[in-house]
Amino acid sequence: TYMEQRYEQRATRTAAELYKQYVEIIESVRFSNTTHSSLPWKVIDQKRGVWILENTDADQLHICGVTRVNTDCDTLVEYLNDLNRKIEFDKFLHRIQIVEQVSDQLDVLYMQFRTKHCLMVQYQRDACVFQYLCKKDKKAMLVSSSVAHPDCPVNKDVTRLQVDVSGFIVESLPDDPNQCSL
């Protein structure tokens, strides 16, 4: 249908944008000990094997992490794509459900978050996003971005999050197929 084509086109564009940022991020990590000032991503910290980077050219806050994971690419992608697992590793995610399965690689998701401020006050946030899984060679991208969907209306009592580009890029490491970068 027309809407499915629009979701597919948007998912492809968003995946391309995420991949472009990924290339910049990898270059920034490579040049982290130099003054290679033309790169927008700057290493701001490195702890326990994770590089933390910030995009200094962005109007909004853009932060990412890069690390090495001791598992093969397919296992990690399966784990990251499992909706039940998302609740396990995202401490703010309260509820997640598939609103529409557009294709085998593309779903529209509703996600509800709860954050705590001080001891008792809880803030509710939600998001309606597409999630697109793209695999090529020894890389996989799981990319998300906000989308409007008729079965996911805005609730005036909950703050709707706008997700520009979010996701994971998983790549098998050439020196060890049982390890990958995330």
Side-chain angles (χ1 to χ4, degrees):
T1 69
Y2 174 72
M3 286 306 291
E4 290 171 355
Q5 288 176 342
R6 286 191 59 200
Y7 287 139
E8 290 277 356
Q9 290 170 349
R10 176 124 181 262
T12 303
R13 282 193 315 269
T14 305
E17 174 61 29
L18 182 65
Y19 188 76
K20 179 182 166 224
Q21 290 182 21
Y22 166 74
V23 170
E24 291 175 349
I25 290 163
I26 296 304
E27 288 298 301
S28 295
V29 169
R30 267 189 46 216
F31 292 111
S32 65
N33 293 330
T34 67
T35 56
H36 200 274
S37 61
S38 67
L39 295 170
W41 289 91
K42 304 295 181 210
V43 175
I44 57 173
D45 203 356
Q46 182 186 12
K47 290 182 182 173
R48 296 182 294 235
V50 179
W51 294 83
I52 308 297
L53 296 96
E54 177 181 31
N55 187 331
T56 55
D57 289 348
D59 294 338
Q60 301 169 341
L61 180 64
H62 290 109
I63 295 179
C64 78
V66 179
T67 192
R68 187 177 213 154
V69 181
N70 291 320
T71 189
D72 64 279
C73 185
D74 291 336
T75 301
L76 183 57
V77 170
E78 184 179 313
Y79 177 84
L80 294 170
N81 199 27
D82 184 338
L83 297 187
N84 294 321
R85 298 279 187 175
K86 286 185 187 299
I87 291 179
E88 291 177 15
F89 68 78
D90 186 338
K91 66 181 181 179
F92 299 114
L93 184 59
H94 175 69
R95 187 174 136 230
I96 187 168
Q97 70 184 54
I98 296 175
V99 175
E100 179 182 352
Q101 184 173 15
V102 179
S103 70
D104 289 342
Q105 295 84 24
L106 181 61
D107 295 322
V108 176
L109 304 176
Y110 174 74
M111 300 173 8
Q112 192 175 63
F113 301 89
R114 289 197 180 146
T115 59
K116 288 187 178 176
H117 181 70
C118 297
L119 298 175
M120 304 295 279
V121 180
Q122 283 194 348
Y123 295 103
Q124 289 191 11
R125 310 274 191 266
D126 71 357
C128 183
V129 299
F130 68 76
Q131 178 173 281
Y132 179 59
L133 176 60
C134 175
K135 291 183 179 182
K136 186 175 181 180
D137 300 325
K138 296 183 181 205
K139 285 188 184 103
M141 287 193 298
L142 189 60
V143 61
S144 298
S145 185
S146 287
V147 67
H149 193 281
D151 294 339
C152 196
V154 174
N155 178 341
K156 65 177 178 63
D157 297 327
V158 178
T159 302
R160 176 64 51 104
L161 297 172
Q162 281 303 117
V163 179
D164 183 26
V165 177
S166 176
F168 299 99
I169 296 178
V170 179
E171 182 174 15
S172 293
L173 297 177
D175 56 327
D176 186 351
N178 293 318
Q179 289 193 348
C180 55
S181 66
L182 171 65

